[in-house]
Amino acid sequence: MQRIRLRYTKRGRLRFTSHRDFQRAFERALRRAEVPMAYSAGFTPHPKVSYANAAPTGTGSEAEYLEIALSDRRDPEALRTVLDASMPEGLDLVDAVEARTTEFTERLQASTWQLALDGVAPAAAEQAVRGFLAADSVEVQRQTKKGLRTFDARAAVASLDLGQESEPPGLDGTADAPCAILRLVVRHVTPAVRPDDVLSGLRVAADLAPPVPATVTRLAQGPLDEESGTVTDPFAPDRDAPSGAEALGTPSVASAPGGAA
Amino acid sequence: MTVESVFPQLEALLPHVQKPIQYVGGELNSTVKPWDETEVRWALMYPDAYEVGLPNQGVMILYEVLNEREGVLAERTYSVWPDLEKLMREHSVPQFTVDAHRPVGAFDVLGVSFSTELGYTNLLTALELSGIPLESEDRTEDHPIVMAGGHAAFNPEPIADYLDVAVIGDGEQAVLEVSEIIRAWKREGRPGGRDELLLRLAKTGGVYVPRFYDVEYLPDGRISRTVPNRSGVPWRVSKHTVMDLDEWPYPKQPLVPLAETVHERMSVEIFRGCTRGCRFCQAGMITRPVRERSITGIGEMVDKGLKNTGFEEVGLLSLSSADHSEIGDVAKGLADRYEEDKVGLSLPSTRVDAFNIDLANELTRNGRRSGLTFAPEGGSERIRKVINKMVSEEDLTRTVATAYGNGWRQVKLYFMCGLPTETDEDVLQIGDMAVNVIAKGREVAGSNDIRCTVSIGGFVPKPHTPFQWAPQLSAEATDARLGKLRDKIRGDKKYGRSIGFRYHDGKPGIVEGLLSRGDRRVGAVIREVYERGGRFDGWREYFSYNLWMESAAKALPAYGVDVDWYTTRERTYEEVLPWDHLDSGLDKDWLWEDWQDALDETEVEDCRWTPCYDCGVCPQMDTEIQIGPTGKKLLPLSVVNK
Ligand code: SF4
C-alpha cells in the first residue's frame, strides 16, 4: 500500500464549497480517474482518504491537505495531474508527495491567512492592527454548536500586518475603492482561533468594523518557523526522506498511471 | 450586445445565506457558451430549490440537447430560498443562471419545467426577480418568452395569465423546433414583434399560447367553451412524442453538482410511457404509448454515464421499470459488469409480484438487502379493481413473504387514501394486510426481526385521467379515515410494533387538487398567495394551508365558485373541462368509459400484452408501441482503452 499526500485549493466561486461537498466531489474524481484506491474493511467499504484542518465554507484556500491510500503504486506527480483534470476548476490539486514520514498532521502547526477588507482604508486597518497587537489578550465570542463561547483571540496570533497589496482610497476622491489587505499567521491551538475570530478581535480591541464581509484566503499551512514567523512547506520532510521503495531496491515508479491495473 | 455576469453582486450576498454552494454553479459537465456567438438563448428553470431541481432529468436533457445545437445556448436557473430572495431584492440582484450568472431577463426564452403544481408560486417569484412583468399581456419584445413544460403543463390554465406559451409532451424535439422558429424570426428582424412570434409558434399546432384562446363561462360557473380568438390558431394543441429513444440517449454527460442533492446517483431512463392503465396515474395516461430504450442502448448509457460522472449508483428509471421487455437480461448484464466496481443499481417498480423480487435479488447480489418497496396502492381487492391495479390479496401476501424469505428485512408498502368510491372499510383493510404480511414474514424468515412500513399518500384527481371527473375526498374526511387506520395498527398488540405508519394530513392535497383541476380563475388565487408571501409550497416548513384558503376566499367569490367547487365536486359527462383543448391523445369518450368501468369495478388489461383497446393515443398522435425483445445482449462491450 502506498500513501500519497496532496495539496489542493478552494479558489474563486468554489470557495463556497463545504468540506462535505469537497469530499463527495473528490471521491467521484477518484472513480472517474480510475485511481486504484485502497478500501476500508467492513460492510460498506470506503476509499481511504484522510483530510486535515479543512478551511471553513466560504473561505478560499491555497493550502488544504489530504492523504490517500492506494492499492497499487503510482507516481505522485502523474497522479496529481490526472486527478486535477478530473476536478472542477477552482478545486485544483497543486502539489503531491509520497508519504515517507509519519505525523503529518502534527506538522500543520500554523496557517497564513490573507484577509481582504473591502471598503477599509489601509491606514485605519493599520491602526486597528496596532491596537490588537498591543493587547495581552483579546476576548471574543463565537456561536458554536455547544452555545456561545468566549475565548482569547490574541495569544494564538503569531503575526498580523498590513500587506503590500493594500489599495488606498482613490486620489481623485472616489473613496469607495479602498481595500486593506491583512496578512495573519495563526497557530493551530484548541479551541481553534479562526480568521473571523481575529476580525472580531479587531472590532473588540480597536473598533474596526468593515462595511462588507472580509474575503478570507488561506495562503499556507505547515510548520511555524518561530524565528522568522513564517509558515514553511509541510511536504519538505517527505521530499527529503529516502523513498521507501528505493530503500527496498525497487523503482519509485512501479507502474505508469492509468496503466493496466 | 453582451450580457454581464451578476456574480460580483451576488458574491457579496453569499456569505449571509444557507448553503451558498447551490448558487455558484461550476458543476461537472456543465456548459457555458459565449453569449455573442449564439442567436437563441434559453434559461431553463426548475421551480424548486437547487437540491431538488439539479437532478431533474427533464431539465438536464433539454440543457444538453439545446447546447448541442449550433447557435443555441441554454443555462439553468433554480428557485432561490427566501433568505437569498430577500437580499437580492434589497440589493437589486436579478434572478440569475447558475452557469454564467447571467440575468434571466436577458434570455430569449425562460422555459420552466413543472413536475407538480406546487411550483406555481415559485414561478411568480422568479418572474418578479427577473424583472419580467407577471402577466403575459404586460410583456414587451424585450422580455423573454415564458414557457411551461412538464406534466403539470397538461393543464396550464391556472397559470395561463403568467405564461406566454406551454408545450406538452416530450421536450427534446419540441425545444429545437421552437428554437428554429425564434431564430428565423430574429434573423428576419423580428417582424410583427412579440405577437407575430407567438402566432408563428401557435400555428405549428404544438405550442399552446393561452392569450390566443378565450374561455367562456356558463351562468353556473362551468366553462361553456374555450375558443381561439385568432385565425390560424388550432382549436386543440397536441402533445409531442419522441418515438425512438435510442436516437435520444440523453443526458450523455449527466451534471454532477458540488452541492448535495436529493438524488446522489445517475439515472438512465429505460422506457417512456406506461400502459398498465392505473386509473389514478396521470403520468401513465399522458405519456402513452410505451417506448423502450433497447438493451444495448441502456448498456451504453450506463457505461458512458458512469465514466463521465463517477457516481456510485445508477437508477434505471421509468414509470414501472420491471416491465421493460428485457429487464431480466438488463439487470443480470449490469450486475455482472459492475460486480467488482462497487456500483449500486436500483430500479423503481410498481409491480407486486415475485419477478420484482428476483430482480431486486439480482441487483443486490453482493450488497445489503435492506429495504424493498411494493405499491399495492389500494387496501382492499375491491378498491384495487376500481383503480385497475390488478393484484389479489393472496398474491400480495405471498410476494411479500417471499421477500422476507430472501433475506429482505424491511418492506415498504405504498397506498393511497381518498380513492373514488372508497369507504373506511377499504382503508382499514390496509391494516389487515400489514398484519398478514408480518405474520407470514415471521414464519418464513424464522425471525421476529422484520419490519413493514405502510406509507400513505392522499389521492388527488388529475386531468387527462379517468378520474378527472371524480370528487376529491375532503381534507377532514381524509384525516378521519387515516386516524382510524392509525388507531387500528397501533392497537394491534401482537404485530403493531413491527408496522411503521407514515402518512400526510389531507390539507396539501386539497391545494394540489385546486391547482390540478383549476381553470384560469384560479390564477387569481395563486397571485394572491404569492403576494402574501407564499413560496415553496412543496415544502412542509413553507406551505400554509390557511394562506391558500384565505386567498381563495378572497379571489374566487367574484366568479361564484370556491375551493370545494374545484375539488370535492363530481363532474358530469357534458362538462367542458379546462384542459379539453390540450390534446394528450386520449379519447375523452374512452376516458369516460374507463371511469364508468372503474365505478363498476371492471378492470382493463395492458395493451402491451393484449389487443389495443382504443384509448386513442396511437392513431391520434400517429405513434405506436415500441417494445422488445430485441434478443440482443448487453455484453460484451468493447473494452475501452485510454
Ligand atoms: S391506442 Fe391502443 S395500443 Fe396505443 S396506447 Fe392506447 S390502448 Fe395501447
Side-chain angles (χ1 to χ4, degrees):
Chain A
M1 192 168 76
Q2 181 194 29
R3 287 176 306 132
I4 291 188
R5 292 176 181 151
L6 291 151
R7 175 157 75 96
Y8 67 95
T9 68
K10 272 171 49 177
R11 288 173 175 156
R13 58 183 176 166
L14 292 199
R15 74 174 191 275
F16 293 105
T17 311
S18 74
H19 183 54
R20 273 167 56 94
D21 297 335
F22 178 86
Q23 284 176 298
R24 257 194 327 274
F26 184 67
E27 286 179 23
R28 281 177 193 147
L30 289 170
R31 297 173 68 89
R32 285 192 297 274
E34 296 175 8
V35 175
M37 292 298 293
Y39 278 81
S40 64
F43 209 38
T44 44
H46 284 290
K48 287 192 177 176
V49 186
S50 30
Y51 299 88
N53 292 338
T57 308
T59 303
S61 181
E62 291 296 313
E64 301 294 289
Y65 291 92
L66 61 82
E67 181 178 300
I68 59 177
L70 305 186
S71 59
D72 230 344
R73 296 188 65 79
R74 287 288 183 272
D75 170 55
E77 180 52 25
L79 179 84
R80 183 197 68 73
T81 315
V82 175
L83 271 175
D84 185 43
S86 195
M87 287 294 280
E89 206 176 309
L91 302 179
D92 305 324
L93 291 148
V94 289
D95 200 0
V97 290
E98 183 178 38
R100 294 173 186 163
T101 60
T102 54
E103 298 179 339
F104 177 72
T105 46
E106 284 74 10
R107 284 211 289 281
L108 302 179
Q109 293 168 340
S111 290
T112 307
W113 299 92
Q114 176 184 278
L115 316 172
L117 308 177
D118 242 330
V120 175
E126 188 153 27
Q127 203 183 346
V129 166
R130 250 185 271 126
F132 178 86
L133 292 175
D136 287 335
S137 81
V138 180
E139 296 265 285
V140 297
Q141 292 189 316
R142 192 196 326 145
Q143 199 64 42
T144 69
K145 285 190 188 97
K146 289 180 198 135
L148 197 63
R149 291 188 67 154
T150 307
F151 54 96
D152 173 30
R154 172 65 189 90
V157 174
S159 71
L160 175 61
D161 46 46
L162 198 66
Q164 304 292 308
E165 318 87 329
S166 300
E167 284 175 39
L171 293 173
D172 53 352
T174 51
D176 53 15
C179 178
I181 299 201
L182 302 182
R183 233 166 215 276
L184 167 71
V185 176
V186 188
R187 290 187 194 87
H188 295 170
V189 292
T190 337
V193 172
R194 305 197 305 206
D196 352 339
D197 300 323
V198 175
L199 286 170
S200 307
L202 288 170
R203 192 173 52 241
V204 171
D207 264 342
L208 183 75
V212 292
T215 309
V216 178
T217 311
R218 166 139 63 195
L219 300 177
Q221 209 185 156
L224 178 65
D225 180 43
E226 293 283 353
E227 204 112 302
S228 65
T230 54
V231 174
T232 61
D233 181 9
F235 282 169
D238 292 296
R239 278 193 256 270
D240 297 342
S243 151
E246 272 163 10
L248 293 172
T250 49
S252 62
V253 182
S255 59
Chain B
M1 173 203 72
T2 198
V3 166
E4 296 286 324
S5 161
V6 302
F7 193 71
Q9 295 96 288
L10 177 68
E11 193 173 20
L13 310 181
L14 291 182
H16 304 287
V17 304
Q18 293 288 312
K19 298 190 202 154
I21 187 69
Q22 65 185 311
Y23 305 116
V24 307
E27 301 89 352
L28 190 77
N29 300 328
S30 57
T31 308
V32 174
K33 282 182 143 183
W35 186 266
D36 296 329
E37 288 164 30
T38 52
E39 294 172 282
V40 182
R41 305 172 187 114
W42 291 70
L44 297 173
M45 176 170 199
Y46 192 85
D48 202 334
Y50 181 87
E51 63 193 82
V52 179
L54 185 284
N56 180 267
Q57 289 291 295
V59 171
M60 234 189 256
I61 291 170
L62 300 184
Y63 175 72
E64 217 176 302
V65 165
L66 286 166
N67 276 320
E68 274 185 10
R69 175 68 53 110
E70 160 101 61
V72 178
L73 164 161
E75 299 191 7
R76 295 158 297 123
T77 183
Y78 305 94
S79 296
V80 300
W81 286 110
D83 61 348
L84 182 58
E85 181 194 336
K86 184 166 172 285
L87 291 171
M88 285 165 67
R89 287 179 190 272
E90 279 168 23
H91 297 265
S92 306
V93 177
Q95 178 83 24
F96 54 87
T97 60
V98 295
D99 300 278
H101 294 91
R102 288 164 174 147
V104 166
F107 287 75
D108 296 308
V109 189
L110 169 58
V112 190
S113 174
F114 290 100
S115 306
T116 87
E117 298 80 4
L118 298 175
Y120 290 165
T121 49
N122 283 4
L123 166 71
L124 298 189
T125 312
L127 289 175
E128 195 163 81
L129 286 174
S130 302
I132 301 171
L134 295 188
E135 309 256 344
S136 165
E137 61 178 27
D138 298 330
R139 294 175 198 148
T140 70
E141 220 182 291
D142 296 331
H143 297 116
I145 298 287
V146 179
M147 173 189 287
H151 288 180
F154 276 80
N155 175 23
E157 292 301 89
I159 46 170
D161 291 344
Y162 315 122
L163 298 176
D164 298 306
V165 301
V167 169
I168 60 173
D170 299 332
E172 290 93 335
Q173 286 160 314
V175 293
L176 293 176
E177 283 164 33
V178 168
S179 297
E180 292 314 326
I181 290 170
I182 295 174
R183 188 187 332 236
W185 172 78
K186 284 178 89 172
R187 280 191 184 169
E188 289 164 35
R190 309 178 185 234
R194 191 178 181 88
D195 199 67
E196 159 91 19
L197 175 59
L198 292 175
L199 197 59
R200 286 188 189 185
L201 291 167
K203 282 182 176 167
T204 62
V207 178
Y208 174 53
V209 181
R211 70 160 79 160
F212 293 158
Y213 296 79
D214 291 330
V215 182
E216 296 164 7
Y217 299 95
L218 298 168
D220 66 4
R222 289 180 303 161
I223 294 171
S224 75
R225 60 178 197 156
T226 305
V227 43
N229 56 26
R230 293 288 184 109
S231 69
V233 173
W235 281 82
R236 299 187 80 200
V237 180
S238 317
K239 79 163 176 182
H240 297 257
T241 311
V242 163
M243 277 317 297
D244 187 349
L245 251 50
D246 283 326
E247 276 179 23
W248 297 90
Y250 296 89
K252 297 173 183 166
Q253 311 237 35
L255 294 164
V256 188
L258 281 161
E260 189 165 8
T261 66
V262 293
H263 292 300
E264 291 288 316
R265 60 169 174 261
M266 182 191 115
S267 300
V268 172
E269 187 185 25
I270 64 172
F271 65 85
R272 214 171 267 187
C274 178
T275 42
R276 290 206 148 235
C278 301
R279 293 181 173 122
F280 53 83
C281 178
Q282 187 192 38
M285 292 288 163
I286 61 179
T287 59
R288 293 172 171 219
V290 170
R291 292 142 290 149
E292 288 190 349
R293 196 182 297 286
S294 69
I295 181 168
T296 40
I298 295 168
E300 264 170 53
M301 277 186 77
V302 172
D303 178 56
K304 285 200 188 126
L306 284 174
K307 289 207 167 88
N308 285 334
T309 61
F311 277 124
E312 282 182 284
E313 196 186 330
V314 183
L316 303 174
L317 291 196
S318 73
L319 290 171
S320 178
S321 293
D323 287 344
H324 189 285
S325 63
E326 290 172 293
I327 192 66
D329 287 336
V330 169
K332 181 173 184 312
L334 292 175
D336 285 347
R337 194 198 280 174
Y338 298 110
E339 192 146 18
E340 300 296 307
D341 290 352
K342 303 178 181 70
V343 171
L345 298 163
S346 65
L347 58 88
S349 169
T350 56
R351 277 168 70 155
V352 187
D353 56 22
F355 179 61
N356 231 0
I357 303 174
D358 293 344
L359 276 177
N361 288 347
E362 186 74 285
L363 296 178
T364 53
R365 235 187 251 169
N366 45 13
R368 285 158 296 171
R369 297 211 165 145
S370 45
L372 201 55
T373 302
F374 296 98
E377 319 271 8
S380 70
E381 216 159 308
R382 186 195 75 78
I383 202 83
R384 287 199 295 277
K385 285 190 175 143
V386 171
I387 63 177
N388 202 40
K389 182 89 193 188
M390 287 175 278
V391 50
S392 71
E393 198 78 37
E394 227 185 280
D395 283 346
L396 191 110
T397 317
R398 193 176 337 110
T399 304
V400 178
T402 311
Y404 289 123
N406 278 287
W408 297 87
R409 285 286 159 266
Q410 163 94 272
V411 167
K412 191 168 151 196
L413 299 176
Y414 183 80
F415 298 92
M416 278 186 286
C417 174
L419 291 161
T421 78
E422 180 186 278
T423 62
D424 285 355
E425 190 41 41
D426 292 309
V427 168
L428 288 173
Q429 282 196 37
I430 295 172
D432 299 325
M433 188 190 290
V435 163
N436 288 341
V437 156
I438 290 288
K440 190 99 193 173
R442 286 183 184 174
E443 199 183 300
V444 181
S447 146
N448 280 2
D449 180 28
I450 52 166
R451 280 189 67 73
C452 165
T453 302
V454 169
S455 178
I456 307 195
F459 167 66
V460 178
K462 294 277 172 160
H464 305 281
T465 69
F467 290 164
Q468 64 184 356
W469 291 278
Q472 185 175 351
L473 191 63
S474 71
E476 298 74 31
T478 303
D479 293 346
R481 204 167 272 171
L482 289 174
K484 285 182 193 159
L485 174 61
R486 181 199 53 215
D487 294 345
K488 175 170 174 159
I489 291 177
R490 300 250 165 97
D492 190 302
K493 298 242 156 46
K494 198 157 172 218
Y495 300 106
R497 273 187 306 114
S498 300
I499 303 171
F501 185 52
R502 286 212 203 122
Y503 67 101
H504 294 300
D505 70 82
K507 286 173 175 170
I510 290 296
V511 172
E512 196 186 329
L514 170 71
L515 298 174
S516 292
R517 291 194 293 173
D519 51 36
R520 292 188 182 183
R521 295 169 293 190
V522 171
V525 183
I526 299 168
R527 178 138 188 191
E528 181 71 21
V529 168
Y530 167 69
E531 277 167 6
R532 296 173 61 178
R535 304 283 186 277
F536 287 93
D537 288 299
W539 295 75
R540 290 207 134 227
E541 50 279 52
Y542 288 96
F543 174 77
S544 164
Y545 181 71
N546 290 342
L547 178 58
W548 278 95
M549 291 308 115
E550 285 162 26
S551 302
K554 191 169 164 206
L556 293 179
Y559 307 113
V561 291
D562 58 17
V563 173
D564 285 347
W565 190 85
Y566 285 105
T567 55
T568 57
R569 179 178 65 96
E570 181 167 353
R571 279 72 160 167
T572 59
Y573 175 74
E574 303 76 35
E575 181 163 346
V576 175
L577 302 171
W579 51 89
D580 277 350
H581 57 297
L582 290 147
D583 188 1
S584 61
L586 295 157
D587 181 36
K588 196 176 177 188
D589 281 333
W590 177 80
L591 284 174
W592 178 262
E593 273 165 39
D594 204 39
W595 169 224
Q596 298 309 305
D597 283 347
L599 296 174
D600 294 342
E601 297 163 24
T602 308
E603 298 154 88
V604 293
E605 299 275 342
D606 189 320
C607 62
R608 267 171 294 188
W609 306 301
T610 59
C612 165
Y613 46 77
D614 289 325
C615 78
V617 171
C618 294
Q620 179 72 13
M621 296 291 144
D622 194 20
T623 53
E624 57 186 11
I625 300 179
Q626 295 216 330
I627 59 172
T630 59
K632 295 214 181 82
K633 289 279 168 259
L634 184 63
L635 291 170
L637 256 193
S638 57
V639 178
V640 191
N641 288 310
K642 287 208 292 185

